[in-house]
Amino acid sequence: ETGVTQTPRHLVMGMTNKKSLKCEQHLGHNAMYWYKQSAKKPLELMFVYSLEERVENNSVPSRFSPECPNSSHLFLHLHTLQPEDSALYLCASSLEWDRGQPQHFGDGTRLSIL
Amino acid sequence: AQTVTQSQPEMSVQEAETVTLSCTYDTSESNYYLFWYKQPPSRQMILVIRQEAYKQQNATENRFSVTFQKAAKSFSLKISDSQLGDTAMYFCAFMIGGYQKVTFGTGTKLQVIP
């Protein structure tokens, strides 16, 4: 399954670094999402984009900055992260954002903050 | 606020046997969708099965079926003829119709034993 591709697979960064996570979907979907997955916690929805417009922002700290240049690409820009931000970051897409359609997930980026 | 509870953190089942994973949810909405997602050790989360709340018939997908009890707010997943490839984390998820925020449970780790 290569419908949703995330890069890099692993990322180790210091607290003062700036990096970006990339997500690309080849499914022709109109909605894209960023989730944070931490051990023993439910997936946390961070951002939702529909046709390149942000429709959901779940009180995420400003050190996480999303960008959706088109309906196929989604980025998560990271700067001045904290150790508690270490987690698996999952990207997902769905055909539409508001009709109960299932989401297709990427493999995730394992982020470790030193 | 919607909540999803998976009360079984870990379960195991013998190959070829049947296992049932529990999920309960809490909502005051009447139009919603329920999902079971599977996340194998390789990490990519994939959809197992989807249920629309207004449909009384329980959804089935090959060896996977659900028991949807709307009044009890229960949505359990039954896996028949368990296979080694079923070893994974299973997440129950809930989505309100017309609103793309998905609420996930904490997951059940299923181990299929040869």
Side-chain angles (χ1 to χ4, degrees), chain A residues 46-85:
Chain A
M46 300 175 73
F47 301 102
V48 181
Y49 276 83
S50 175
L51 295 171
E52 303 134 53
E53 287 192 23
R54 190 187 306 178
V55 296
E56 178 79 27
N57 176 0
N58 266 11
S59 301
V60 178
S62 60
R63 57 186 183 268
F64 295 91
S65 175
E67 178 189 0
C68 188
N70 55 62
S71 59
S72 298
H73 293 85
L74 185 65
F75 295 89
L76 187 62
H77 303 301
L78 317 171
H79 64 96
T80 323
L81 294 192
Q82 304 299 309
E84 61 265 28
D85 297 323

Side-chain angles (χ1 to χ4, degrees), chain A residues 33 37 97 100 103 105 107, chain B residues 37 39 43-44 50 98 100:
Chain A
Y33 314 80
Q37 186 176 26
W97 71 279
Q103 297 176 10
F105 288 82
D107 285 343
Chain B
Y37 284 91
Q39 188 177 37
R43 274 190 347 210
Q44 187 173 60
R50 173 180 179 265
Q100 185 54 278

Side-chain angles (χ1 to χ4, degrees), chain B residues 25-82:
Chain B
Y25 58 95
D26 188 25
T27 185
S28 57
E29 301 287 334
S30 58
N31 178 27
Y32 55 88
Y33 305 85
L34 293 159
F35 307 86
W36 278 99
Y37 284 91
K38 167 186 176 182
Q39 188 177 37
S42 62
R43 274 190 347 210
Q44 187 173 60
M45 185 115 52
I46 57 174
L47 177 71
V48 175
I49 204 162
R50 173 180 179 265
Q51 175 80 43
E52 297 169 3
Y54 62 86
K55 289 187 176 179
Q56 293 186 339
Q57 186 173 4
N58 291 323
T60 62
E61 283 290 340
N62 301 315
R63 298 182 295 107
F64 298 87
S65 62
V66 297
T67 300
F68 174 45
Q69 298 176 306
K70 193 170 184 178
K73 296 180 182 175
S74 171
F75 183 62
S76 59
L77 174 70
K78 185 172 81 172
I79 305 174
S80 304
D81 185 25
S82 297

Side-chain angles (χ1 to χ4, degrees), chain A residues 11 13-20 77-81:
Chain A
L11 178 62
M13 57 188 285
M15 292 170 61
T16 58
N17 292 156
K18 290 184 180 181
K19 296 285 185 184
S20 295
H77 303 301
L78 317 171
H79 64 96
T80 323
L81 294 192

